[in-house]
Amino acid sequence: MIALTSQRNSARSSAPIAATHFVESTAHRYETAEPVMTTTTPTEPLALTGVLASALPPELGTAQAPARYTVPAVFTRRPEIREIYLLRGDDVRQRLSEAGYPAVELHVEDRRLLITNTNLEELKHGLAGLIGVILSQISAEVLQEWTTRTEGLASRAHEEELRLSEVKSAAAEIVFTINEGSTLR
């Protein structure tokens, strides 16, 4: 049986939800800490909580360990479509290549970032920081686009509200009564 418990320090905290997985067998109960994705609005930056260790190749730490493999990392929230598009872009591939990681690719799968053709050492010695910078910049770009679009929509909504108010006022001036001295035809 697996149960997930979570806590948040405050409703406005940007810290990810802490989670503990409890695994029970007939004889033992133990805890494992796993990175957890939080549900947020697109106004919060996209980041990674950590590596999903349980999804790493089981041969790691043995003589049969692969030199390169896919490292899954968990997002702090579900990426927006635009963020996914930018992560898949040529600009990101070029930045990774120029930084010395030409074989590394980034793929989004649900709420995980799959970092392919790499290893934990490479991530530890610079690749993780570069990915963090890339995510931060993409997140800031998408946030700016979202803010601009939202402000434009709010402005248009205000203009529409004013227009409707004017139409209602004009309609309210219409009176369907017969004035004295008027004749009906």
Side-chain angles (χ1 to χ4, degrees):
M1 176 176 154
I2 298 176
L4 176 66
T5 60
S6 64
Q7 277 185 309
R8 183 179 285 278
N9 293 338
S10 72
R12 293 213 159 250
S13 171
S14 63
I17 293 176
T20 306
H21 295 268
F22 293 101
V23 180
E24 291 186 33
S25 68
T26 53
H28 299 34
R29 177 185 168 130
Y30 59 93
E31 296 180 34
T32 60
E34 294 285 345
V36 175
M37 204 287 307
T38 61
T39 303
T40 62
T41 64
T43 59
E44 294 182 25
L46 181 64
L48 296 168
T49 62
V51 170
L52 186 60
S54 62
L56 290 171
E59 304 84 16
L60 290 185
T62 71
Q64 294 80 27
R68 297 193 162 284
Y69 43 90
T70 298
V71 177
V74 181
F75 285 115
T76 54
R77 62 171 171 77
R78 182 178 298 278
E80 296 292 316
I81 292 171
R82 178 76 171 133
E83 290 168 327
I84 295 170
Y85 175 79
L86 291 172
L87 272 169
R88 291 189 205 165
D90 291 335
D91 185 47
V92 169
R93 280 191 288 279
Q94 182 179 349
R95 288 181 69 185
L96 290 169
S97 183
E98 288 173 356
Y101 307 105
V104 173
E105 295 179 5
L106 304 179
H107 302 279
V108 176
E109 186 177 286
D110 192 30
R111 296 177 184 199
R112 294 180 185 169
L113 178 65
L114 302 179
I115 309 160
T116 64
N117 301 317
T118 190
N119 55 52
L120 295 176
E121 266 317 292
E122 224 172 36
L123 285 161
K124 183 178 177 181
H125 290 100
L127 179 56
L130 175 60
I131 292 171
V133 168
I134 289 170
L135 284 175
S136 177
Q137 290 171 342
I138 286 174
S139 186
E141 180 179 336
V142 171
L143 177 59
Q144 181 59 47
E145 291 171 0
W146 184 79
T147 301
T148 301
R149 188 172 49 253
T150 301
E151 289 170 353
L153 289 172
S155 176
R156 285 191 294 275
H158 180 69
E159 290 169 6
E160 181 65 8
E161 191 176 299
L162 290 174
R163 184 193 67 77
L164 287 174
S165 177
E166 290 172 6
V167 169
K168 286 179 183 178
S169 292
E173 292 175 7
I174 306 299
V175 180
F176 293 95
T177 59
I178 300 175
N179 295 331
E180 272 186 49
S182 298
T183 58
L184 296 175
R185 295 193 181 186

